[in-house]
Amino acid sequence: MKKIFGALLLLQFFSFCGYSQVLKPSAKSRQVLSDSSKLSSKSTSNKAIKNKDAKIEQYLIIDYKGNTTFLDTSLTIYKQYKFNYLRKDNFALLPFANVGQTYNQLSKDFNNYKLLPDFGARARHYNYFEINDINYYEVPTPLTELFFKTAFQQGQILDAFFTVNTSRQFNFSIAYKGARSLGNYQHQITSTGNLRFTSNFKTKNKKYSAKVHIVTQDLSNEENGGIKDEDVANFESGDEDFLDRSVFDPNFENAENILVGKRFYLDHKYNLVKSDDSLTNAVSLKNIIYFEDKYFQFDQTTSNDFFGDSFNETNIRDRVTLENFYTKLLLNYKSSIIGDINLGVSFNDINYGYDKITLLDDEQIPNRIKDQVFSIEGSYLKNIDDFEFEFDFGANIIGDIDGSFFIADVTYNLNKDTVINGKVAVTSNKPNYNLLLNQSDYINYNWNNTEGFVNQNNIDFKLEFKSKKLLALSAQYTSIDNYSFFSFEGESNLIKPKQIEESIHILKIKANKEFKF
């Protein structure tokens, strides 16, 4: 509740500080835009001012790639699909018993176009805001959005958002998403918070532009190990005495975990040669810099046989950290004849691991994975009549961590309603860090696979047909070599990472159609 009330007070403060703006479009745009979408805003004196120049199409939302859409205020069934904890359509995700816990994936997606491994603890990352989850804004008047929903047993979810343009050139936004839910079972409280700040800036001559964001987030869960085996029959029976789920005894009631992360991100671009029309070539220089620091921590007051034997009987604490500094320099050339070409080099400084060294069966488990990786990346985009061709590639050229990807994407606009898309992707990357190296106070959960595990190689083919009148249909075939995963070990039900040499072949078909009556 403190997090939610804090978000409301913060939003109220910025609402009082907001003021009406008038961003006058050109004479040409005034003729195109209809007066039927006039909006009004209030000044600090609470005097209503009709803003004839503010149209819904001017409330711009810009993603991390620079693609732009505008605010959607329509009420449709698709808004209902997104009225949940994740704030997006959670089709094929089966939620756990409490809001803010993790999900079971009913339809697995193996696409990974990254050159470096992920942090791990992926079950805790569904509500973790990555770089591609952050949007930037440009608005003619201050804009506020509030999302509220109740959760299980004294629980609430609030997502408060505010953005304002102080001028045509500068926008900032601030948002806070907080959730707390007691849950229906013993020792299952979830408490999460995501604070986001963004800024979008461009000079008057539009030669220089910059996007900045700062994100801090913490995702906390109490852990109980699920109900005991002897209670499963009562759980499934439907007996009225057991419909109250709090009567079940969980495996333990003394553990919790938390994922904490903060990120500072800058994406800025300078147009060396600016294009004034579609026939002129354009050259720009782009630089991306960010630093991300995160840790995952598991605490338990006393050890439990559920996880096997342990080094310590009390005060169990497993904590792993990742520090990642990244910078990329990119040169862009754009021509109406040749197309859109991007070529760049990037640098990653990685520091993942623990603050201790573990000795197990006279074998030393190292505490760190450190590397400095140089990579090359590029893309090509070209439109020819109704076809759009896009190619992306990347490869690590210096460093101990190997990784590469190549993506070919072709889109054909059959007509205004129908689009056909074909995609081929070939990727090779290391398994996640926690599959390579892990340390724990529980003996079984210590391993070092930095030398033993090889790259996972994927080949992916996808074909999509999209039509609002007919249906949306997609077919995807994926072939995976050296798949890495967590597996049960024998009859003990303890977990160990495993990599299989056999190929895995997956065919996924998805269809979607909206019917109105």
Side-chain angles (χ1 to χ4, degrees):
M1 289 301 295
K2 290 181 179 178
K3 295 181 179 181
I4 294 173
F5 285 132
L8 285 172
L9 290 173
L10 188 65
L11 177 70
Q12 190 71 15
F13 169 76
F14 280 104
S15 297
F16 284 133
C17 293
Y19 57 89
S20 175
Q21 308 157 80
V22 178
L23 302 184
K24 295 184 177 180
S26 63
K28 182 178 179 181
S29 65
R30 289 181 192 174
Q31 295 174 1
V32 174
L33 297 176
S34 170
D35 287 339
S36 62
S37 57
K38 292 178 182 178
L39 303 176
S40 63
S41 60
K42 291 186 178 181
S43 66
T44 51
S45 63
N46 292 329
K47 181 180 179 181
I49 300 175
K50 290 184 178 180
N51 192 331
K52 298 181 180 180
D53 298 307
K55 309 293 188 293
I56 195 66
E57 294 87 351
Q58 293 176 285
Y59 291 79
L60 302 180
I61 303 171
I62 308 161
D63 69 10
Y64 76 108
K65 287 186 175 181
N67 300 320
T68 302
T69 59
F70 59 85
L71 186 67
D72 180 10
T73 57
S74 61
L75 295 177
T76 66
I77 189 65
Y78 297 105
K79 294 294 182 69
Q80 174 65 24
Y81 298 155
K82 298 191 290 185
F83 191 67
N84 55 47
Y85 172 67
L86 296 181
R87 302 295 312 276
K88 60 185 178 183
D89 189 349
N90 58 6
F91 177 75
L93 292 179
L94 182 66
F96 270 40
N98 195 13
V99 171
Q101 284 188 293
T102 187
Y103 296 79
N104 273 324
Q105 290 185 340
L106 304 181
S107 177
K108 189 71 174 175
D109 189 358
F110 294 95
N111 296 334
N112 187 359
Y113 305 141
K114 299 179 181 179
L115 295 173
L116 295 175
D118 280 324
F119 175 66
R122 304 314 300 169
R124 302 299 304 125
H125 278 75
Y126 285 95
N127 188 49
Y128 189 91
F129 283 80
E130 305 286 0
I131 290 173
N132 56 353
D133 296 317
I134 302 298
N135 292 323
Y136 308 87
Y137 303 87
E138 182 178 329
V139 293
T141 63
L143 174 66
T144 302
E145 182 190 47
L146 286 175
F147 170 95
F148 177 82
K149 191 175 185 179
T150 57
F152 297 114
Q153 301 293 340
Q154 309 171 32
Q156 300 88 24
I157 308 168
L158 175 70
D159 195 357
F161 166 81
F162 174 79
T163 184
V164 63
N165 266 68
T166 60
S167 68
R168 270 188 175 274
Q169 284 69 51
F170 181 76
N171 169 278
F172 77 87
S173 75
I174 187 167
Y176 182 82
K177 180 180 178 182
R180 185 173 176 85
S181 180
L182 184 64
N184 292 323
Y185 294 82
Q186 296 292 333
H187 200 75
Q188 202 187 39
I189 292 176
T190 65
S191 178
T192 66
N194 310 82
L195 176 65
R196 297 103 66 196
F197 176 85
T198 75
S199 178
N200 183 27
F201 170 77
K202 59 186 176 184
T203 56
K204 288 186 177 181
N205 61 10
K206 297 183 180 180
K207 277 206 163 186
Y208 176 79
S209 61
K211 294 182 290 189
V212 178
H213 78 243
I214 300 173
V215 179
T216 64
Q217 39 201 334
D218 60 277
L219 311 168
S220 174
N221 276 96
E222 289 184 340
E223 298 293 344
N224 59 24
I227 62 175
K228 294 180 178 179
D229 291 342
E230 53 266 28
D231 279 334
V232 172
N234 293 325
F235 173 85
E236 297 175 342
S237 67
D239 191 323
E240 292 184 359
D241 294 334
F242 296 96
L243 293 181
D244 181 1
R245 299 308 193 187
S246 63
V247 303
F248 288 111
D249 292 325
N251 282 292
F252 47 83
E253 297 184 60
N254 61 352
E256 63 180 19
N257 66 51
I258 187 170
L259 173 66
V260 176
K262 58 180 179 289
R263 182 173 59 250
F264 305 91
Y265 178 91
L266 168 64
D267 177 352
H268 56 149
K269 181 175 73 172
Y270 184 79
N271 294 316
L272 301 173
V273 179
K274 186 173 176 294
S275 174
D276 295 323
D277 55 61
S278 60
L279 299 178
T280 307
N281 298 335
V283 180
S284 61
L285 192 64
K286 184 177 183 179
N287 176 232
I288 298 175
I289 303 175
Y290 74 81
F291 175 76
E292 185 165 28
D293 182 12
K294 63 165 70 172
Y295 72 84
F296 179 76
Q297 181 172 303
F298 174 83
D299 291 297
Q300 195 169 20
T301 54
T302 58
S303 63
N304 192 288
D305 293 339
F306 184 83
F307 297 111
D309 298 331
S310 62
F311 293 114
N312 303 318
E313 295 296 325
T314 60
N315 299 324
I316 303 293
R317 169 165 288 187
D318 298 339
R319 179 186 172 110
V320 60
T321 62
L322 173 66
E323 295 177 356
N324 184 18
F325 171 79
Y326 174 88
T327 182
K328 179 167 70 173
L329 188 63
L330 198 70
L331 182 66
N332 172 259
Y333 173 75
K334 189 178 295 184
S335 167
S336 58
I337 299 174
I338 299 175
D340 192 342
I341 303 174
N342 289 287
L343 287 174
V345 293
S346 62
F347 169 75
N348 264 286
D349 190 336
I350 306 153
N351 187 354
Y352 167 89
Y354 304 81
D355 294 329
K356 57 186 178 182
I357 295 176
T358 300
L359 291 174
L360 184 63
D361 298 330
D362 296 327
E363 180 183 352
Q364 179 176 310
I365 307 294
N367 67 327
R368 290 282 166 183
I369 296 177
K370 290 185 177 181
D371 202 0
Q372 293 183 335
V373 181
F374 287 87
S375 310
I376 56 172
E377 299 179 46
S379 66
Y380 175 72
L381 178 65
K382 174 63 176 175
N383 292 320
I384 302 176
D385 296 329
D386 294 326
F387 286 91
E388 181 180 292
F389 300 89
E390 184 174 2
F391 303 92
D392 296 271
F393 74 91
N396 297 335
I397 55 176
I398 299 177
D400 295 329
I401 299 178
D402 295 328
S404 64
F405 67 84
F406 174 78
I407 307 166
D409 196 318
V410 179
T411 302
Y412 175 59
N413 297 297
L414 188 62
N415 52 51
K416 292 184 178 180
D417 175 69
T418 306
V419 175
I420 301 174
N421 174 260
K423 186 175 184 180
V424 178
V426 180
T427 62
S428 177
N429 42 50
K430 281 283 189 182
N432 292 342
Y433 289 117
N434 63 339
L435 284 159
L436 298 174
L437 176 66
N438 198 74
Q439 288 189 8
S440 173
D441 283 339
Y442 285 101
I443 296 174
N444 180 75
Y445 295 87
N446 290 273
W447 54 76
N448 174 25
N449 297 315
T450 52
E451 301 295 334
F453 279 18
V454 297
N455 277 22
Q456 177 176 307
N457 303 313
N458 289 18
I459 301 177
D460 189 71
F461 301 91
K462 188 174 183 180
L463 184 63
E464 284 186 292
F465 175 88
K466 295 181 180 179
S467 172
K468 291 183 178 180
K469 294 180 179 179
L470 299 176
L471 81 163
L473 178 65
S474 68
Q476 184 175 3
Y477 170 78
T478 305
S479 176
I480 307 170
D481 291 328
N482 307 319
Y483 178 61
S484 303
F485 63 104
F486 289 105
S487 173
F488 285 118
E489 187 182 56
E491 298 179 356
S492 63
N493 281 341
L494 299 179
I495 303 297
K496 283 288 188 182
K498 186 177 180 181
Q499 189 173 63
I500 56 177
E501 297 179 358
E502 298 85 0
S503 296
I504 299 174
H505 304 280
I506 298 171
L507 177 63
K508 181 166 65 174
I509 298 176
K510 182 178 178 181
N512 177 40
K513 171 62 179 174
E514 179 185 20
F515 296 94
K516 297 180 180 180
F517 61 92

